[in-house]
Amino acid sequence: MIEPFVKRIVHNYFGLIFQIFVAFVTTLVFIRTIGISGYAIMGITFSFLEVVFLFDIPFFLALVRFNRASLMQDMALFSRMVNTLLMMVLLSGFAIAIMLIPVIYFLSKLIYHDVSLLAYFGIGLLIIQLLRIIKFLNELVRANEHETIVQRANTMFIALEFVIVLCLLFILKLGVLSIFLSTLIARAVQLMILIHSIKKKRIVHFQPYFSKVLFMKALKESAFQNHLTRILRGLLFS
């Protein structure tokens, strides 16, 4: 029992060290290459989208409560619950994107007076949607005690993003757009790795399914308990 726990701690530790190292190196490269103005575009775009990300409903407690171990006698219920929550993530992501289109236009055109921000906001919005799905799948994997899958996919994302952004910056000379495109591509690859690993481990069988009863059950019993607290804490300290 202790050995898997220690293994997860070690994976988390080395993954964090690798992430900090790459972040430090890329920050130096970005500042020298895209300049302060390019960094400002990144800050404006991702700061706004990070606030949007705060309102995402946290399903981790629900996934822990309704994991494979607790529902071993009813794997069909486990599959229905996971697919219901995943479908909610996808549907809410589509709704969020539609609602944010006029907001993004308003910010770009009337607040910052820079129409070029529309492209960055658009790519950023796609990245946020990928992140929401990745976050859910990471929580699903962790709730079922497969931390190594998360760390491998995350390490691949960091390494791939670093390679792509260098190619786009120094070979194609795309400037600040390189950062947005490299993140988008690397996140898409990370998502594919996660899906492949989940299928390989047979954690759950993905299929189109949604149950209002199961969603409300997960929302009331687990997700909503820390949702408002998470929003307030994020808005105050982010």
Side-chain angles (χ1 to χ4, degrees), residues 110-195:
L110 302 178
I111 300 299
Y112 296 110
H113 304 289
D114 188 352
V115 182
S116 66
L117 283 175
L118 286 171
Y120 299 119
F121 272 124
I123 298 173
L125 195 56
L126 291 175
I127 293 171
I128 284 295
Q129 301 309 323
L130 288 174
L131 269 174
R132 294 177 71 248
I133 302 171
I134 289 169
K135 176 175 175 285
F136 175 83
L137 295 180
N138 282 342
E139 291 175 346
L140 169 65
V141 169
R142 285 187 168 123
N144 291 277
E145 302 182 347
H146 289 282
E147 179 65 31
T148 53
I149 291 177
V150 175
Q151 294 305 326
R152 285 170 186 165
N154 195 47
T155 301
M156 179 61 71
F157 158 73
I158 296 169
L160 184 62
E161 183 188 37
F162 184 67
V163 172
I164 294 174
V165 76
L166 291 181
C167 292
L168 295 179
L169 272 174
F170 297 108
I171 298 177
L172 297 182
K173 308 289 186 181
L174 294 182
V176 69
L177 187 61
S178 306
I179 299 166
F180 286 82
L181 290 177
S182 63
T183 303
L184 179 64
I185 295 169
R187 287 296 183 191
V189 173
Q190 182 186 11
L191 176 58
M192 289 188 287
I193 291 172
L194 278 171
I195 293 173

Side-chain angles (χ1 to χ4, degrees), residues 28 35 44 48 69 133 140 180 186 191 195 221 232 235-236:
L28 295 178
I44 290 170
F48 169 71
I133 302 171
L140 169 65
F180 286 82
L191 176 58
I195 293 173
E221 295 183 9
L232 292 174
L235 291 175
L236 288 173

